[in-house]
Amino acid sequence: MSWPLWEVFVRPRRGLNHQHVGSLHAADAEQALRNARDLYTRREEGVSIWVVPATAISASSPEERDAFFAPAADKIYRHPTFYEVPEGAEHI
Amino acid sequence: MYGNDIPEQPGHARLLDEVAAAERDLTGRGLGGDGTEGGADDYFGAVIAADGKIEPRDEMPEAYRKSLIRQIAQHAHSEIIGMQPEGNWISRAPSLKRKAILLAKVQDEAGHGLYLYAAAETLGVDRADLYEMLLDGRQKYSSIFNYPTLTWADVGAIGWLVDGAAIVNQVPLCRCSYGPYARAMIRVCKEESFHQRQGYEILHVLANGSPEQKAMAQDAIDRWWYPSLAMFGPPDTDSTHSAQSMAWKIKRFSNDELRQKFVDMTVQQAEVLGLSLPDPDLRLGEDGHWAYTQPDYDELFTVIKGDGPCNRQRIEHRRAAWEDGAWVREAATAYAKKREGATV
């Protein structure tokens, strides 16, 4: 009998996103939060914690890495550096 | 609360700088910068060659996966078993301050074990299975934890020498090719430096105390020095896993290189303490490295095989803790089930 796996996300301080820091086992969400506090924030590394059942995460497959992300690769016009700005134009 | 008054340890800042640099490299990699743009046929080989990171669901050779599981699990087991020699002194620490520090340290060791089990699980193994393999002896832990902690000074010697050797071993692992292991090691190394300093401080206080206290500190160093040297594993000529691990960029330095680095750092630290290392043949060579007496590798293998002073006791204690805790695990599971039913 093994407790389910939870993925842990910590907001290091106000103004930053939650970041994935690792995983742990716990019987339920409440215990997962307490374990996450003890495991990942013993030195004030966070001001907020999310725990998510690992089975609830859908991930893109590494095997499809090229095909899946290909649509972004040939659209360099999405970056501001693609455009020529005439001499003398300011604040653009 | 815990005012520290000890001299800075030489070489220490440099090791921590290496941890910080490894962390910067992880976050600083450019967009998609795994060095494999253009879809290489041998994705794994290309990532390794480009010094990139392999991540959990990437394709990887089965032998790489197995080797990592073995190493990370063994590392995790060492942290968990490593709680025992020092845990032995929590109730007998000489002051409330020392007790609070030791509790925090032992709690960190539990944390390190859990970071590492989590990293191992990303390779598709279950923590419960790894735990089984520790308890029935199929997987090993560091032989250093099979030595007893006879006096309070041993807690100091473990922090300074054992954790010091562990740091030298672990800092290069912050650049290991497997992402989850590298990230876990960065966390571990940052916390480990407090462990080493608290041990060094204990010895510094004892070395400047009564003659009996100084003798106790010296005795602890005499007993822990050679087992600490043995922590780096057998000499390069006899090391079975090293070459392949280096090629895969799991290991970055050989056992003997790391051992030499540890000796070079430690000799000067012992001088500052006013205590000696139990090696009459320590000599500073012309190349700037200290020549030293090798540990007894026959003893190392005897201890690894299970015949060290405390092997049976350590595993027995762990098994008892696991079995005695069964009702807690069952109760938490039952409670979770009950609440799940209640909210539907």
Side-chain angles (χ1 to χ4, degrees):
Chain A
M1 174 203 65
S2 189
W3 286 339
L5 190 68
W6 302 74
E7 298 296 336
V8 181
F9 300 80
V10 170
R11 184 199 294 286
R13 56 176 190 273
R14 305 189 72 81
L16 296 179
N17 287 318
H18 284 77
Q19 260 195 3
H20 182 244
V21 292
S23 63
L24 51 75
H25 289 272
D28 58 23
E30 192 185 331
Q31 194 195 23
L33 278 173
R34 286 176 183 278
N35 288 358
R37 177 201 60 191
D38 291 346
L39 187 55
Y40 291 107
T41 62
R42 284 197 302 284
R43 289 174 176 77
E44 300 182 290
E45 290 96 335
V47 295
S48 165
I49 300 176
W50 292 345
V51 290
V52 182
T55 51
I57 293 180
S58 307
S60 63
S61 163
E63 274 81 52
E64 305 168 17
R65 61 187 165 265
D66 291 331
F68 193 71
F69 294 104
D74 60 354
K75 295 179 181 60
I76 48 172
Y77 45 83
R78 281 178 173 155
H79 298 278
T81 46
F82 177 75
Y83 299 93
E84 258 178 57
V85 175
E87 196 87 13
E90 291 178 10
H91 306 302
I92 179 162
Chain B
M1 181 179 179
Y2 302 125
N4 288 347
D5 181 24
I6 55 162
E8 275 292 307
Q9 282 166 262
H12 191 272
R14 225 177 35 237
L15 277 174
L16 269 188
D17 288 348
E18 285 174 37
V19 176
E23 189 174 26
R24 269 198 309 277
D25 280 5
L26 275 186
T27 51
R29 282 187 172 272
L31 293 172
D34 59 6
T36 62
E37 288 73 14
D41 282 344
D42 174 18
Y43 180 76
F44 176 82
V47 172
I48 297 289
D51 240 344
K53 298 291 176 208
I54 299 295
E55 293 295 342
R57 293 167 67 221
D58 286 342
E59 59 213 55
M60 61 184 90
E62 188 53 20
Y64 175 83
R65 199 180 74 86
K66 283 217 166 105
S67 180
L68 271 173
I69 291 173
R70 185 187 55 78
Q71 181 172 341
I72 300 174
Q74 187 169 307
H75 199 157
H77 298 331
S78 301
E79 300 282 358
I80 296 299
I81 295 292
M83 290 192 282
Q84 291 184 40
E86 290 171 294
N88 181 33
W89 280 92
I90 290 175
S91 61
R92 291 176 287 159
S95 68
L96 188 56
K97 166 184 154 175
R98 294 292 174 199
K99 185 172 181 160
I101 293 172
L102 191 54
L103 264 173
K105 179 180 190 288
V106 172
Q107 192 189 13
D108 272 356
E109 309 294 0
H112 296 176
L114 292 175
Y115 305 154
L116 287 160
Y117 283 128
E121 287 195 298
T122 64
L123 291 158
V125 286
D126 195 84
R127 188 179 76 187
D129 295 335
L130 299 177
Y131 214 67
E132 271 305 303
M133 287 193 264
L134 165 68
L135 291 179
D136 67 20
R138 272 178 292 161
Q139 285 184 340
K140 305 286 182 201
Y141 55 90
S142 177
S143 61
I144 192 79
F145 301 116
N146 291 315
Y147 291 88
T149 40
L150 303 179
T151 71
W152 169 250
D154 286 30
V155 176
I158 289 182
W160 177 41
L161 296 175
V162 175
D163 290 317
I167 292 172
V168 170
N169 239 333
Q170 290 172 159
V171 165
L173 289 173
C174 295
R175 291 182 180 278
C176 147
S177 60
Y178 188 59
Y181 194 23
R183 293 191 285 273
M185 290 323 302
I186 288 173
R187 283 190 86 91
V188 168
C189 284
K190 283 181 174 176
E191 299 183 356
E192 203 82 61
S193 73
F194 131 60
H195 299 179
Q196 197 196 10
R197 284 187 185 204
Q198 65 86 35
Y200 195 66
E201 191 195 57
I202 287 173
L203 292 177
H204 184 251
V205 169
L206 290 175
N208 290 282
S210 67
E212 290 83 0
Q213 286 173 318
K214 187 169 184 179
M216 185 167 81
Q218 184 61 59
D219 169 65
I221 292 171
D222 290 349
R223 282 181 290 109
W224 287 93
W225 172 247
Y226 285 105
S228 300
L229 288 184
M231 282 174 70
F232 295 94
D236 293 350
T237 43
D238 302 341
S239 183
T240 43
H241 301 295
S242 276
Q244 183 60 71
S245 277
M246 303 263 274
W248 280 328
K249 295 185 181 167
I250 297 174
K251 273 184 85 146
R252 299 280 177 160
F253 300 97
S254 76
N255 294 354
D256 287 332
E257 284 171 331
L258 292 169
R259 192 166 11 242
Q260 183 69 57
K261 191 171 187 173
F262 173 68
V263 173
D264 290 345
M265 281 172 43
T266 309
V267 171
Q268 199 271 346
Q269 294 172 0
E271 279 169 23
V272 174
L273 288 177
L275 298 169
S276 59
L277 299 172
D279 183 353
D281 295 327
L282 275 173
R283 298 268 183 285
L284 186 59
E286 283 175 8
D287 59 355
H289 295 297
W290 288 86
Y292 61 95
T293 305
Q294 294 290 322
D296 180 350
Y297 293 111
D298 291 338
E299 177 181 314
L300 173 67
F301 285 111
T302 306
V303 179
I304 289 176
K305 285 201 183 93
D307 290 322
C310 301
N311 294 56
R312 272 169 287 275
Q313 181 189 334
R314 298 289 185 240
I315 288 296
E316 220 24 74
H317 185 85
R318 193 86 288 269
R319 190 191 309 280
W322 178 247
E323 284 167 7
D324 292 349
W327 71 271
V328 179
R329 295 192 295 278
E330 284 160 20
T333 305
Y335 182 63
K337 274 216 180 92
K338 186 173 131 191
R339 291 217 311 179
E340 203 177 308
T343 53
V344 169

